[in-house]
Amino acid sequence: MNDAAKLIYDGKEYVFPIKRGSVGPSVLDISRFFQESGAFTYDPGFTSTASCESSLTFIDGDKGVLLYRGYPIEQLAEHGDFLETCFLLLYGDLPTLKQKNEFVPLITRHTMLHEQLIRFYQGFRRDAHPMSIMVAVVGALSAFYHDSIDINDPKQRVLATLRLIAKMPTIAATAYKYSVGHPYVYPRNDLDYTSNFLHMCFSVPCEPYDINPVLSRALDRIFILHADHEQNASTSTVRLAGSSGANPFACIAAGIACLWGPAHGGANEAALRMLQQIGTPDRIPEFIKRAKDPNDNFRLMGFGHRVYKNYDPRARIMQQTAHEVLNELGVRDDPLMAVAMELEHIALNDEYFIQKRLYPNVDFYSGITLRALGFPLSMFTVLFALARSIGWIAQWKEMIEDPRQKIGRPRQLYTGAAPRDYIPLEQR
Ligand code: CMC
């Protein structure tokens, strides 16, 4: 096998070392190309560019495979739990029983929010989108926890990581409680991570709240599915922000802002709105027609992916989870589920979607599931952010600990005006 690739540019030959991953495509190391040739490479949207080395997550988009530290997502979703997944992503291996018993209380001791931070919420309008609150409150953690923002101190990095994992459910639940006008509910550390989140979201002081273990397990699985996903837009945002030396909470706030967009994490909310807009299976052809029309910017939300050119394995698990949740809640004929299943069937048999290799992604069935669990649409992307925080912080940690880490600074193909002289105002 070759260990170098050659390129002729402007009559001169350049040799690029080839780096091979443990699985998946190799990369051509072009990092010295500009220095040697004076030219940049051009790849808008990073469709062919690896921005870093990482040992966290691997996707085989053609086969529809997703691995966290080598473990297939299906096995983690079936047998694992979210905190175990957090440990795996952070430290590279599944925890032993002893490690797990030490890790879980480390998280739970940080679940509360600084009381003054809770007052911060009151500055928002009640109808603020909870994602806007998330961006602000997570960014504001750096104003409240000064002892965990020195990125050069490994102990502070650990503390910031534990705080983030522990406080995200509390921050998200508080955003929800604020939006519905309920009193803020304190965390209960005797509950597991996801049951505690359900408790903070749905319990009220005036009556007991019983956690349904089937629903709690389903949500925990949804968190596992969203935990990490290679160098997606929000993760790359976190890495880019972190590459300047910004504190971890500021970096995660940047990631949340990026996730919010409808092409990324905002797609779960958009997908459910689309299903509601379609309403009944008989209207599906009209929407399929629009999705295929090059002059209409409508897209099937929850469909297509930059990397998966096959069924997103998370979508399959999400579909099973949706059925499980609806069944547990005694919902026999959910009209949106009927629309979603028929839409999927029609799209998967349509030449346009077959040819472009567009399949349902994780967001297609997640909205139906989250709605059935009792969350309003505006909370869907918040739940994605909560779960993805572990991926963001684990990727940030990997970057900070990499001795080759440099500030991220893409180049450009400049197409603006050539140099010209300033013209005094009266002569213009
Ligand atoms: N509906 C209709 N056509 C589509 C769709 C769709 N959902 N997705 C892609 N296409 C078409 C697109 O019009 C383009 O056609 P053409 O080659 O004729 O111009 C072709 O497929 C390739 O699309 P692209 O936009 O160049 O692909 P991309 O890799 O840049 O975008 C994507 C990936 C996920 C942004 C896109 O598929 C999309 O907008 N999907 C809907 C939003 C969505 O569900 N996002 C969630 C992604 S998974 C969760 C996450 O990672 O956040």
Side-chain angles (χ1 to χ4, degrees), residues 263-265 267 299-300 302-306 352 356 358 361 363:
H264 194 5
R299 285 187 167 198
L300 279 195
F303 250 82
H305 199 274
R306 169 64 61 79
Y352 173 93
K356 294 189 190 296
L358 300 169
N361 60 49
D363 293 318

Side-chain angles (χ1 to χ4, degrees), residues 51-65:
S51 60
C52 62
E53 268 185 54
S54 180
S55 59
L56 270 87
T57 299
F58 172 75
I59 304 171
D60 183 331
D62 284 329
K63 294 195 183 124
V65 169

Side-chain angles (χ1 to χ4, degrees), residues 47 226 229 232-234 259 261-268 270-271 288 290-292 294 298-309 312 314 352-353 356-359 361-364 384 388:
T47 54
H226 288 89
H229 215 227
N232 56 84
S234 58
L259 186 79
H264 194 5
N268 54 11
I288 294 271
R290 284 188 60 196
K292 295 185 330 189
F298 172 79
R299 285 187 167 198
L300 279 195
M301 300 313 284
F303 250 82
H305 199 274
R306 169 64 61 79
V307 186
Y308 293 116
K309 300 300 167 199
D312 177 342
R314 304 169 301 170
Y352 173 93
F353 291 88
K356 294 189 190 296
R357 302 175 77 190
L358 300 169
Y359 292 83
N361 60 49
V362 69
D363 293 318
F364 192 65
F384 194 156
R388 183 55 59 83

Side-chain angles (χ1 to χ4, degrees), residues 10-21:
D10 234 0
K12 196 172 158 201
E13 185 177 282
Y14 297 89
V15 178
F16 305 119
I18 297 178
K19 291 185 165 196
R20 300 198 189 278

